[in-house]
Amino acid sequence: MGRVTSDTTATETGAHRTGYPDRQPAVWQLRLRRFGYRVRPHGDLRTRLVAPYPAPALRLWATLGVGPDAAVRLARWAAWAGPLLVALVAGMLRFWHLGSPHDVIFDETYYPKDAWSLLKYGYEGTWDKNANAALVGPHPKILLSPQASYVVHPPMGKWLIALGEWAFGMNPFGWRFMVALLGTLSVFLVCRIGRRLMRSTALGCLAGALLAVDGLHFVMSRTALLDLIVMFWVLAAFGCLLVDRDRTRARLAAALPTDPGGVLRPDDTVGDRLRLGWRPWRIAAGLCLGLASATKWNGLYYMAAFALMSVLWDVAARRIAGARRPFRSMLRRDAVPAFGATVVVALATYLASWSGWLFTKGGYYRDWATTPEGRTGSWTWLPDWLRSLWHYQTEVYAFHTGLTTPHTYQSNPWSWLVLGRPVSYFYKDPAAGQQGCTAAEGCAREVLALGTPLLWWAACFALLYALYRWAFKRDWRAGAIACGVAAGYLPWFLYQERTIFLFYAVVFVPFLCLALAMMVGAIIGPPGASERRQTIGAVGAGVLVLLIIWNFIYFYPLYTGMPIPKSAWHNRMWLDSWV
């Protein structure tokens, strides 16, 4: 499976010079060297453009009696078999007793019912005030009327929830099915993304395994809310952009000239003028970002951040290829196609997600443009449906920015990374002999949206490490991970007065896991480190990972609503703010 250190391909050095003139470091670069700053090396050009996957380590396979050719094949299979195995374990955890608690928990009072209404009417209808009890009672009833209901989130995520309800019925298992499926698939995506990002199957699978045992991701995978759906599409977009980055750079490498020894040489004509052509993976990223934004609007921040990150990758690629003015070349050759592939595709996807509302007449504000209020103004030349939809969006924006109603479980984003205030989705305290309680003191049943504490607290250090690598080691991978966290985290600081919750952070949990996997690779040791150093590092990293797994198991009852003695529940309230 190759090396398992995060330093694999981090430095782009090589044995051959590429024709770049040597440059003396600037004064500020010399001063920052004491902090570990590394001047960008000019090594093997092909490696700098597309870092290869390291050759598999053959010693383990040789010990098992496997020949070199077979070892290479096994390593190739492991690149898919490993992520599939991790995803299978994650799926078993998420689907086990998925219908428990057999209740409408927390914000499931909104989205599953809206999803069923979309199936029936194409828009969100109105539910009776006793609808929750009727849905989970001994004789389930659906108390839905076609009167339009005002909702404040786009329909895409609810359409996905509706697929599970269509297949398995309007019950807790049915409305949680698609979210659990996307949660499982996201573990697989992190494995593959981590492998491509760090050029290590082992570290990629480790990142996926960490996501599989994160409590917040686990709870959100078993609850029919929208935030995990946003996370899935954001993660898929990130993976598409990584593939696009590798393929685009390979195209540049193929266009560059070589010297008599077959070594690539930079060429300003190629770097400045080469058109990078059809980029389907970037378009796929735009589609995924549109689906994220069509689920909840915080996907728009990722659209902006990832679009900018992608074009900056193009600038770097053209600079390496020999462009004299890489930024200007990007603006001329790449900026417009990138805008079309991401922003335009995303906006078209968002608009298409409202098809149910557009092609019916009963939706909220559907005919607003035909009312006396809608007939006034300077935009009356636009189609009625477009003006009605735009009015709906402005009303929703006003709702979100003005949402300041206090809530018991609201939290400030400053406390999210240390899990200051998790959200209780479900709580009951059955007496002995009730609901599976066998403790004389009575029991507690809770579903608590709490990240695995040791994972999150370790991830705080891993995030600092990623920022250090990005700033001082010039490691683009660390910058990409930091971008994924920043786009999902920093925007919430703009809404200090708004009612917000810790579970919004599930969108950037995969990037925390990638950062932690990168740090674990560094703990194991860099390439070329002594066997003793790597052994000590591997033991330390292994202890950390095992403690995180143990921590998940310890809190597992709080993630699933299992009845546990009240004393055991109190023992798990590590912070007073968790109660």
Side-chain angles (χ1 to χ4, degrees):
M1 293 191 295
R3 295 188 186 275
V4 295
T5 66
S6 69
D7 286 320
T8 301
T9 74
T11 59
E12 298 166 332
T13 59
H16 301 284
R17 303 299 295 175
T18 61
Y20 285 101
D22 290 333
R23 293 183 300 176
Q24 295 300 319
V27 174
W28 66 270
Q29 293 174 322
L30 293 173
R31 289 176 178 173
L32 288 177
R33 279 184 174 179
R34 70 185 67 178
F35 301 105
Y37 177 82
R38 179 177 298 158
V39 178
R40 181 176 300 171
H42 288 154
D44 176 49
L45 186 55
R46 190 181 302 276
T47 300
R48 293 185 65 203
L49 281 171
V50 187
Y53 289 89
L58 302 181
R59 183 166 56 182
L60 174 62
W61 299 111
T63 303
L64 298 175
V66 178
D69 293 339
V72 172
R73 288 195 297 271
L74 287 172
R76 188 181 301 116
W77 295 339
W80 288 97
L84 285 172
L85 180 60
V86 174
L88 177 63
V89 174
M92 292 173 62
L93 289 171
R94 281 150 178 76
F95 280 96
W96 182 258
H97 292 308
L98 180 61
S100 177
H102 187 76
D103 208 335
V104 179
I105 65 175
F106 198 60
D107 278 356
E108 285 187 341
T109 191
Y110 302 116
Y111 310 121
K113 292 188 293 186
D114 287 344
W116 185 264
S117 181
L118 288 175
L119 278 179
K120 187 171 180 63
Y121 302 125
Y123 61 90
E124 293 87 347
T126 299
W127 290 78
D128 186 85
K129 63 180 180 179
N130 298 315
N132 289 356
L135 286 172
V136 296
H139 304 288
K141 295 181 181 178
I142 297 176
L143 306 180
L144 171 65
S145 70
Q147 181 181 354
S149 176
Y150 177 61
V151 296
V152 294
H153 291 298
M156 188 63 236
K158 290 169 281 187
W159 277 114
L160 288 173
I161 292 172
L163 289 177
E165 295 172 342
W166 171 76
F168 301 102
M170 187 57 177
N171 54 69
F173 181 87
W175 66 60
R176 294 170 189 161
F177 176 82
M178 283 302 298
V179 184
L181 179 61
L182 294 181
T184 302
L185 291 176
S186 67
V187 171
F188 176 78
L189 285 179
V190 167
C191 292
R192 291 291 299 174
I193 287 170
R195 179 180 184 272
R196 181 174 291 273
L197 196 65
M198 293 176 274
R199 293 303 198 253
S200 168
T201 300
L203 284 183
C205 290
L206 173 62
L210 291 171
L211 186 65
V213 297
D214 173 62
L216 181 60
H217 185 275
F218 178 77
V219 170
M220 297 298 288
S221 297
R222 294 170 54 88
T223 313
L225 272 64
L226 301 179
D227 300 85
L228 185 126
I229 300 175
V230 177
M231 181 277 302
F232 175 81
W233 293 120
V234 164
L235 187 63
F238 184 75
C240 289
L241 290 176
L242 284 179
V243 177
D244 174 74
R245 182 184 187 276
D246 281 352
R247 295 199 172 191
T248 300
R249 286 173 164 240
R251 192 174 300 156
L252 274 170
L256 289 172
T258 59
D259 62 18
V263 178
L264 286 185
R265 293 188 294 103
D267 184 271
D268 58 353
T269 301
V270 172
D272 279 320
R273 299 183 182 180
L274 181 68
R275 294 187 180 276
L276 299 177
W278 172 250
R279 299 174 68 168
W281 285 100
R282 181 178 267 176
I283 296 174
L287 175 65
C288 292
L289 291 169
L291 292 171
S293 303
T295 301
K296 285 186 79 171
W297 279 2
N298 54 329
L300 293 171
Y301 292 111
Y302 275 99
M303 180 178 70
F306 283 0
L308 178 60
M309 181 179 68
S310 179
V311 295
L312 290 179
W313 284 351
D314 288 345
V315 172
R318 289 188 178 277
R319 179 185 293 114
I320 294 171
R324 295 182 182 275
R325 298 177 178 84
F327 188 82
R328 190 171 70 177
S329 298
M330 179 276 294
L331 291 177
R332 287 182 173 180
R333 308 292 184 186
D334 307 321
V336 173
F339 181 84
T342 52
V343 177
V344 174
V345 170
L347 292 179
T349 303
Y350 180 86
L351 183 63
S353 73
W354 285 87
S355 296
W357 184 88
L358 290 171
F359 292 111
T360 59
K361 289 296 183 182
Y364 205 86
Y365 283 135
R366 178 61 184 87
D367 297 318
W368 173 86
T370 62
T371 64
E373 181 186 1
R375 291 194 184 100
T376 61
S378 57
W379 299 95
T380 53
W381 54 273
L382 290 173
D384 287 347
W385 64 267
L386 183 58
R387 291 192 294 119
S388 296
L389 181 60
W390 178 254
H391 178 72
Y392 198 167
Q393 308 306 297
T394 59
E395 292 296 309
V396 168
Y397 178 78
F399 170 85
H400 284 303
T401 56
L403 182 60
T404 57
T405 306
H407 193 284
T408 303
Y409 293 105
Q410 71 182 69
S411 60
N412 191 283
W414 286 108
S415 69
W416 287 2
L417 291 179
V418 294
L419 303 174
R421 183 59 171 165
V423 182
S424 180
Y425 286 176
F426 171 86
Y427 182 86
K428 288 186 178 180
D429 51 355
Q434 298 178 356
Q435 300 181 30
C437 178
T438 59
E441 62 181 299
C443 294
R445 295 183 62 201
E446 184 170 27
V447 176
L448 187 65
L450 171 72
T452 302
L454 292 185
L455 190 156
W456 278 65
W457 296 339
C460 291
F461 294 97
L463 186 56
L464 292 175
Y465 173 71
L467 292 172
Y468 165 76
R469 288 200 64 91
W470 178 45
F472 294 106
K473 301 293 185 180
R474 311 298 297 275
D475 190 340
W476 70 270
R477 304 165 307 160
I481 292 172
C483 178
V485 175
Y489 184 37
L490 296 183
W492 293 110
F493 288 92
L494 301 174
Y495 306 100
Q496 295 286 306
E497 302 301 322
R498 189 187 186 277
T499 308
I500 55 179
F501 303 92
L502 170 65
F503 66 81
Y504 295 170
V506 73
V507 180
F508 61 80
V509 167
F511 300 97
L512 293 181
C513 293
L514 288 168
L516 187 52
M518 178 177 283
M519 188 178 75
V520 166
I523 292 173
I524 294 174
S530 67
E531 185 172 347
R532 181 174 181 273
R533 163 67 179 85
Q534 292 191 346
T535 300
I536 294 174
V539 170
V543 169
L544 174 61
V545 172
L546 289 175
L547 285 174
I548 289 172
I549 295 173
W550 164 82
N551 203 212
F552 172 77
I553 295 171
Y554 180 71
F555 282 95
Y556 183 81
L558 297 188
Y559 299 144
T560 56
M562 292 173 57
I564 57 175
K566 284 192 174 180
S567 58
W569 178 84
H570 281 290
N571 290 338
R572 287 164 172 79
M573 295 295 105
W574 286 2
L575 301 178
D576 292 341
S577 59
W578 293 2
V579 179

